[in-house]
Amino acid sequence: MIRLPLLFSKILSTSPVLEADVQRSFDAFEPWLEQSGMPFFPGFTDHSPRHITDVLNTAASLISDASHELLSAQDVAVLCMAILLHDCGMHLTQDTFRELVQERDAVLIDGFGDAPWGRLWKDFLSEAKRFGQEKLIAIFGSSDPLKIDEIDLNNLNEHNCLLIGEFVRRHHTRLAHEIAINGVKRVGGLPLELIGFDADLKDLSGLIARSHGMSIRGTFSYLQDKYDILGVYRDIKTPYLMAVLRIADYIQVKSERAIQTLLRVKELRSPISRQEWAAHFAVRDVSTHHADPEAFYVHAAPLDVRTYLKLVLLFKDIQKELDESWATLGEVYGRNATLYRLGLTIRRIRSNLDMREKFAKNVNYIPIKAGFDSSGPDLLKLLVGPLYNYEYSVGIRELVQNAVDACREAEDLVGQIANIESNYSPEVIVQVEEQDDGTGWITIADNGVGMTLDTVTRYFLIAGASFRNSDLWKSQHTVENGEVRVIRGGRFGVGALAAFLMGEEIEVTTRHIDRPSDSGIKFVARIDNPLLELNKCTAPAGTTIRVRVTNKEVFSHLRPRAPLSLLQSREKFKLKSWHEVDWFIQEEPAVSYHWNGFSYPIGNYGDGDDNRPIKFNAEFSPDKELFAPKLGAEDPRWRSLSQPNPYREVRWRYADRVKQGSGDKEYVLLPINLVSVNGIRVEELRNHEERGNLTLPQEESSSGPIYSITRPSIAIYDPAGLCPINLQRSTVAFERMDLDEKIIPEVLDMYFKDIRNKISKFLYFYNFMELCKLLGRSGYVRYSGQVSSVFCTSSEVKILCASNIKKLGIKRIFFADVYGEPSKILISDLLQPDEALVMRVGNEGYGSQAALSWFRAVFSSDATEEYSRSRQVGFPVLAHDGAVSVMPKKTWASASEKGKVARYIMDNLVVDTIDKKYFSISAYDSGENSFLIDRCRDILTSLESNVPMEVAAWKLKEEQPFSEAKSILADAWDKVFFQ
């Protein structure tokens, strides 16, 4: 039962009507407060009627003796109702919450800018989709992503209730005000409301309850607009009562409020709840019996440093509330001849935690806040160089990246902000100016969204703090489902540091696009100066950063090269390339680069006395041929990955090879494949490097062709910042992505379709020879070894792998080393239905060692170690128990020389002379070798070549290893040629 303190009972007794109304209202609300169970706050501390009684008693004790006689019955009645209501919102049931957010015609309280509850809930759900890991853990105890779209208000689970609890907690003081005026709606019954109070008293009760979630001064405009008076209305001292309530509620930190018996049977899943209970358990006593008559003393025994720090912060907040409350009372009542005596019994809070060294002797932890931090400017100076590997051009990249992001953000705000015209054209300009003494300036200017004062101080000037991770940024640039509309290059919040890689001083001028032209901000910053002066200025929308360069090495590194004829022309010209600054590889926003400084002609590095640098003025615009398309734009040069998740889009392409030179000196330049993330070049990959190839599954080469696929140029569009990229933004961690797994089948599909367009039918042997040569040519799919990647049967052509051999029932496989004029014989006339044939490819370019490797591979037993080495020649892993070859006499003479081929191979061979040109060699005879030799001779005869050739053969075993192994290459071939 809610009980009134003696002081309140005495004052209320002067107005029996109000006394009765207070008691009836208590009686009406008490069952609801007792029985609601606080379904959205299952782990919170006591908010039952007992808590109301505690706050009432604390409030009475806070009222100074001099204030007793100044309080009216109306004061006490309104204060009692405010205390009753102040946490009522946390007792909402599922039914009342559903009705709250689904009601369409609710009357809003004018004066606070309140939005309808349905809209607030919808906006909150949009925000919840963007909750970070720390926020998720605080509310739910885990970082599991929220399934917002699955929330059903008619069927709420525990997770849903905790989320609703966070929403209600934010707005429970507004709920208190609305409950005071409109009551609590109950399904199938009359609303629960304050009894007997008129509209003004209900409103003031709710306003006082609402005020404990805002500053007292924040209510003044409402009071003056509605009641035309601030200090006293109908004998109610509203600001004073607000001060009493907020302090009374604040100091309800007692161990009794965290019920021990409840904790034993209730698991606290929310860290917020666990911390609140720990704080309450830690407070052993609250007393006003202290040497300081205007202080109350708290004795606490926190068991861990987290609770200790929470209590220290809490006590500081209470002191702040006391200071602000006393200041407000003086402001409102200080000049009133009578009411100036209104005051509180306490001005200060004291605790045993104040004397840290003494407290530390009684606990087993050190009561200080310890954690990783930086030593300020000194650490930043140490970090900047190593962070970017002292690559000065990276400084250009980081600032260009930030400028591009700002332009994209401005473009995204077109239609939302009146200051941005519909024909907005984003632009970034990079200017490098070298003076005669080797110093100079590097300027990066954009007409993007610009920065506000808050963005400058809270994000730009703080290393690791990215505005693009803030709730404000997300609210501006995400859609309702949490999807980001803007692709961002910046991610880590360290981009501004890169400016100091090029110089020790920067000048920044910025103005947010939504601010007047005279509200720009300008400042000069040094990395070793912790204090900046921010000046107001008139500036265009966007940001300009000028870096003062005093290190001559910076310009030496960034310096472009040009032919002597252009340098001597003394006229401004266009550079063909400027790799050191060319980081952005998309057409929009337009990025232009300008050089005004010195350089040496191409091929001249200033080694001689007469080779002086020449000053020139040039500009550079990137080659659009290398551009990645804009997100969502069509570009026939680029292919879209069909399954880009978790990224918005992934595009890939292989650039054409470029021929240079003329006549005998003509050569082919292999294209460099670029990896870009959100338009910023990250890596340049070459196919001779390991990272230059796509990663094939380990089992892919177990039985089929040994091959590699050049990694194409890849453009990743990653608005959510999920791409695993290192801090230096120089490497994409492909091993942590499933990107290669998705790209490989699509690359092979394109590759085989290109082959099919060139050779669509394989009726004749010369068609098959042409196909093998085509496949063997070095391209973005490259095969290792001397054996063709495909085999032909009497009716079809397949990828050479054990599963295909098994599937087609092949019993004999022939290896043909054929060159010269190709035969026009039909393949169906050359092979029997259970036979297959592969070609030796590239044999014109191989020497004697290659011929010996081929010989060893043909005659190595599949049970010997030597056979595993035959895979290097490209022979398939096929179990066989017979091997023969009909080869030219010259080939046998070379192989039979002493020491050329291992003894254990030679000892198993049977050699016969066929004629003057050919020998037959056989091994591991299972009874079919003579038949195999005859078939080899038949094939040689059918091919009608005047040039000596070799045909070898294996008699295959019925059981084949790896016959069940999957082959991506074989699947891609079949999809193109057989579907």
Side-chain angles (χ1 to χ4, degrees):
M1 180 178 179
I2 301 174
R3 298 181 183 277
L4 284 171
L6 184 61
L7 174 63
F8 289 177
S9 294
K10 180 181 177 180
I11 297 174
L12 278 175
S13 66
T14 62
S15 175
V17 173
L18 283 175
E19 183 179 30
D21 291 342
V22 168
Q23 192 58 55
R24 287 193 297 161
S25 296
F26 281 165
D27 293 342
F29 274 77
E30 186 167 355
W32 179 53
L33 299 178
E34 192 70 68
Q35 299 168 16
S36 74
M38 296 174 62
F40 305 126
F41 302 90
F44 267 51
T45 49
D46 184 23
H47 285 74
S48 71
R50 188 177 71 163
H51 171 56
I52 303 299
T53 299
D54 288 343
V55 179
L56 286 167
N57 287 325
T58 304
S61 70
L62 287 171
I63 298 171
S64 66
D65 291 344
S67 304
H68 288 187
E69 62 187 58
L70 301 177
L71 291 186
S72 65
Q74 289 88 337
D75 281 320
V76 173
V78 167
L79 179 59
C80 287
M81 293 303 96
I83 291 172
L84 174 69
L85 296 167
H86 79 287
D87 281 339
C88 267
M90 299 174 72
H91 288 266
L92 287 187
T93 63
Q94 294 188 18
D95 290 334
T96 52
F97 178 77
R98 266 193 299 273
E99 186 151 349
L100 178 74
V101 297
Q102 292 175 351
E103 186 175 8
R104 298 181 181 275
D105 303 321
V107 178
L108 302 178
I109 299 173
D110 190 26
F112 292 97
D114 293 340
W117 286 106
R119 189 198 306 167
L120 272 182
W121 174 241
K122 184 178 180 181
D123 291 345
F124 174 77
L125 291 180
S126 296
E127 179 192 344
K129 293 176 180 178
R130 305 188 295 267
F131 279 170
Q133 178 175 311
E134 185 177 351
K135 186 77 170 178
L136 291 170
I137 292 174
I139 298 173
F140 305 105
S142 75
S143 59
D144 296 340
L146 297 178
K147 299 179 180 179
I148 299 296
D149 297 332
E150 297 180 9
I151 293 178
D152 179 3
L153 292 180
N154 294 306
N155 185 24
L156 295 172
N157 58 33
E158 182 186 15
H159 223 56
N160 302 154
C161 288
L162 291 174
L163 183 65
I164 293 172
E166 173 64 15
F167 174 77
V168 171
R169 184 190 63 79
R170 294 184 183 187
H171 303 290
H172 79 283
T173 56
R174 171 186 165 181
L175 279 169
H177 197 178
E178 294 188 0
I179 290 172
I181 296 173
N182 304 315
V184 182
K185 293 188 177 181
R186 292 186 287 187
V187 178
L190 296 174
L192 178 63
E193 57 188 0
L194 302 183
I195 299 173
F197 289 85
D198 62 35
D200 284 351
L201 296 187
K202 287 181 178 179
D203 180 45
L204 291 173
S205 299
L207 181 63
I208 294 168
R210 183 174 194 153
S211 72
H212 87 286
M214 58 193 297
S215 71
I216 297 177
R217 289 187 180 88
T219 66
F220 285 180
S221 61
Y222 179 85
L223 281 169
Q224 290 172 327
D225 290 344
K226 186 163 186 179
Y227 299 107
D228 203 28
I229 192 169
L230 186 60
V232 183
Y233 175 74
R234 288 179 57 177
D235 211 11
I236 301 170
K237 296 85 176 167
T238 304
Y240 176 69
L241 301 178
M242 291 176 177
V244 172
L245 171 60
R246 68 198 303 109
I247 302 301
D249 186 57
Y250 227 134
I251 63 177
Q252 290 300 303
V253 184
K254 300 179 183 178
S255 57
E256 291 86 355
R257 205 174 155 201
I259 306 169
Q260 292 273 9
T261 54
L262 178 61
L263 184 61
R264 293 192 190 103
V265 298
K266 196 177 196 68
E267 178 188 1
L268 300 181
R269 302 194 180 184
S270 166
I272 294 176
S273 299
R274 290 198 292 268
Q275 292 167 19
E276 185 185 3
W277 282 56
H280 282 280
F281 277 134
V283 175
R284 302 298 172 83
D285 185 44
V286 178
S287 171
T288 55
H289 302 294
H290 190 262
D292 184 347
E294 292 186 320
F296 76 99
Y297 185 81
V298 180
H299 183 85
L303 298 177
D304 54 66
V305 74
R306 184 183 296 276
T307 308
Y308 165 82
L309 293 172
K310 179 179 175 64
L311 287 174
V312 169
L313 181 60
L314 174 65
F315 297 160
K316 286 182 179 178
D317 287 345
I318 294 175
Q319 186 61 59
K320 181 181 176 183
E321 288 290 345
L322 283 167
D323 293 340
E324 291 182 356
S325 295
W326 274 102
T328 305
L329 294 179
E331 178 184 330
V332 176
Y333 301 110
R335 296 188 179 186
N336 187 289
T338 304
L339 298 181
Y340 77 92
R341 292 183 294 159
L342 285 171
L344 305 175
T345 56
I346 58 174
R347 287 180 181 268
R348 289 170 290 280
I349 178 173
R350 298 283 185 259
S351 83
N352 62 317
L353 306 185
D354 296 341
M355 295 175 285
R356 189 177 67 193
E357 292 183 2
K358 182 178 179 181
F359 173 77
K361 296 177 181 179
N362 300 313
V363 292
N364 59 3
Y365 58 87
I366 300 173
I368 62 172
K369 182 179 181 180
F372 286 107
D373 203 347
S374 76
S375 60
D378 290 337
L379 179 62
L380 294 180
K381 288 179 69 175
L382 291 173
L383 283 178
V384 170
L387 178 64
Y388 296 110
N389 200 28
Y390 296 97
E391 291 286 340
Y392 302 119
S393 63
V394 171
I396 300 283
R397 182 196 69 193
E398 292 297 303
L399 296 180
V400 167
Q401 175 178 277
N402 287 348
V404 167
D405 286 350
C407 289
R408 287 170 171 165
E409 289 160 9
E411 199 169 19
D412 183 57
L413 294 175
V414 171
Q416 300 181 50
I417 295 180
N419 292 3
I420 309 180
E421 297 179 359
S422 58
N423 61 346
Y424 167 73
S425 179
E427 183 181 23
V428 178
I429 299 174
V430 179
Q431 180 78 43
V432 185
E433 303 170 272
E434 183 186 21
Q435 298 171 347
D436 293 350
D437 61 358
T439 65
W441 294 89
I442 295 174
T443 305
I444 291 87
D446 68 72
N447 64 343
V449 72
M451 292 186 285
T452 63
L453 177 61
D454 186 67
T455 307
V456 169
T457 55
R458 293 183 58 192
Y459 299 100
F460 182 82
L461 295 175
I462 299 179
S466 173
F467 175 60
R468 295 175 179 94
N469 291 329
S470 69
D471 289 339
L472 177 59
W473 190 94
K474 292 174 182 176
S475 68
Q476 293 173 339
H477 300 290
T478 58
V479 294
E480 286 186 3
N481 65 358
E483 190 175 84
V484 179
R485 291 193 301 266
V486 178
I487 60 171
R488 308 166 290 168
R491 185 188 305 180
F492 304 114
V494 294
L497 283 180
F500 294 107
L501 187 67
M502 301 180 291
E504 294 185 350
E505 182 178 287
I506 64 173
E507 293 181 5
V508 180
T509 305
T510 186
R511 175 174 70 85
H512 193 270
I513 202 165
D514 194 28
R515 299 292 192 273
S517 60
D518 60 354
S519 63
I521 302 169
K522 187 171 184 177
F523 59 91
V524 176
R526 293 181 60 87
I527 199 169
D528 56 0
N529 187 355
L531 182 63
L532 304 180
E533 180 176 291
L534 304 180
N535 299 300
K536 302 174 184 176
C537 69
T538 299
T543 300
T544 298
I545 298 178
R546 300 188 74 217
V547 184
R548 174 67 173 153
V549 180
T550 57
N551 181 359
K552 296 180 181 181
E553 288 297 318
V554 175
F555 288 120
S556 295
H557 183 82
L558 298 178
R559 200 180 309 284
R561 301 280 179 179
L564 180 62
S565 58
L566 287 177
L567 296 181
Q568 291 176 334
S569 68
R570 303 297 181 182
E571 295 180 359
K572 188 172 184 177
F573 60 88
K574 289 189 176 182
L575 293 164
K576 287 187 176 181
S577 65
W578 193 359
H579 185 266
E580 289 75 15
V581 301
D582 187 13
W583 290 101
F584 185 63
I585 58 171
Q586 284 187 335
E587 194 164 357
E588 292 183 11
V591 182
S592 61
Y593 306 86
H594 305 265
W595 168 269
N596 187 0
F598 296 87
S599 189
Y600 298 95
I602 291 177
N604 185 327
Y605 295 92
D607 297 331
D609 295 335
D610 297 330
N611 296 323
R612 298 176 181 177
I614 301 172
K615 189 167 188 177
F616 68 97
N617 195 346
E619 62 179 314
F620 168 70
S621 295
D623 184 0
K624 293 184 179 181
E625 174 61 28
L626 300 176
F627 279 176
K630 189 177 180 179
L631 177 65
E634 293 293 330
D635 189 328
R637 301 171 305 166
W638 290 80
R639 293 173 179 263
S640 294
L641 193 65
S642 59
Q643 296 180 329
N645 291 337
Y647 312 109
R648 185 74 56 81
E649 282 187 15
V650 175
R651 305 283 188 96
W652 59 273
R653 69 171 289 203
Y654 288 101
D656 295 332
R657 298 183 175 195
V658 179
K659 289 185 178 181
Q660 289 194 355
S662 59
D664 295 338
K665 295 184 178 181
E666 186 175 85
Y667 56 93
V668 175
L669 287 179
L670 293 177
I672 297 172
N673 295 315
L674 303 178
V675 178
S676 66
V677 179
N678 294 340
I680 299 295
R681 170 169 55 90
V682 177
E683 289 191 79
E684 294 182 352
L685 301 175
R686 293 165 173 80
N687 57 20
H688 65 271
E689 301 169 343
E690 184 178 354
R691 290 181 57 78
N693 294 320
L694 295 171
T695 303
L696 293 163
Q698 191 171 1
E699 64 274 10
E700 178 68 6
S701 60
S702 60
S703 67
I706 301 173
Y707 69 102
S708 61
I709 304 176
T710 300
R711 193 180 299 279
S713 288
I714 299 173
I716 300 170
Y717 302 82
D718 178 30
L722 300 174
C723 182
I725 186 170
N726 65 345
L727 189 60
Q728 293 79 16
R729 299 188 62 83
S730 60
T731 304
V732 172
F734 291 114
E735 66 277 5
R736 291 169 51 195
M737 309 164 71
D738 60 355
L739 204 58
D740 287 7
E741 181 182 335
K742 294 176 180 179
I743 289 180
I744 288 169
E746 298 193 13
V747 169
L748 291 175
D749 182 75
M750 180 185 75
Y751 168 67
F752 285 136
K753 283 179 178 176
D754 183 54
I755 296 290
R756 185 185 62 186
N757 291 337
K758 296 174 181 176
I759 304 176
S760 58
K761 296 181 180 180
F762 311 110
L763 296 175
Y764 293 92
F765 182 73
Y766 75 86
N767 296 138
F768 182 64
M769 280 188 67
E770 186 180 353
L771 170 66
C772 292
K773 290 179 179 179
L774 190 60
L775 289 170
R777 289 173 189 156
S778 181
Y780 53 86
V781 178
R782 303 179 307 281
Y783 303 93
S784 298
Q786 304 176 42
V787 177
S788 62
S789 57
V790 292
F791 68 89
C792 64
T793 68
S794 59
S795 59
E796 58 188 323
V797 174
K798 289 274 195 176
I799 292 294
L800 180 58
C801 61
S803 58
N804 279 339
I805 294 292
K806 177 76 173 178
K807 190 185 303 179
L808 296 177
I810 302 300
K811 296 179 179 178
R812 293 174 293 280
I813 185 167
F814 298 94
F815 305 94
D817 182 6
V818 179
Y819 40 94
E821 186 68 25
S823 171
K824 295 185 178 180
I825 187 174
L826 288 167
I827 294 177
S828 58
D829 292 340
L830 188 67
L831 298 174
Q832 296 177 8
D834 57 357
E835 294 177 341
L837 182 142
V838 298
M839 297 289 298
R840 186 181 183 191
V841 293
N843 50 340
E844 294 94 339
Y846 291 119
S848 59
Q849 288 301 317
L852 289 173
S853 296
W854 174 273
F855 184 92
R856 296 187 192 102
V858 169
F859 292 108
S860 294
S861 166
D862 56 16
T864 66
E865 181 180 339
E866 186 73 25
Y867 180 68
S868 64
R869 291 172 54 192
S870 73
R871 287 291 287 142
Q872 299 173 16
V873 186
F875 272 60
V877 179
L878 296 173
H880 55 281
D881 52 10
V884 305
S885 177
V886 174
M887 64 180 64
K889 184 177 181 181
K890 182 180 178 181
T891 303
W892 167 246
S894 174
S896 59
E897 288 182 22
K898 186 175 181 181
K900 290 290 183 70
V901 177
R903 183 69 177 267
Y904 68 85
I905 294 177
M906 300 299 291
D907 288 348
N908 285 310
L909 299 183
V910 176
V911 182
D912 288 315
T913 301
I914 296 177
D915 53 35
K916 293 181 180 179
K917 292 183 178 181
Y918 287 96
F919 278 70
S920 69
I921 318 294
S922 61
Y924 318 113
D925 191 358
S926 61
E928 289 194 20
N929 278 5
S930 58
F931 175 73
L932 284 177
I933 291 171
D934 290 341
R935 288 293 296 126
C936 289
R937 295 179 65 183
D938 292 342
I939 291 173
L940 278 172
T941 302
S942 300
L943 296 181
E944 302 174 346
S945 175
N946 294 324
V947 180
M949 300 178 294
E950 176 182 355
V951 176
W954 285 349
K955 185 255 180 185
L956 302 180
K957 295 179 181 179
E958 188 171 340
E959 294 298 325
Q960 290 293 334
F962 306 111
S963 60
E964 303 300 323
K966 296 288 185 181
S967 169
I968 300 173
L969 195 70
D971 290 344
W973 174 275
D974 290 348
K975 182 179 178 182
V976 171
F977 286 95
F978 294 98
Q979 292 182 9

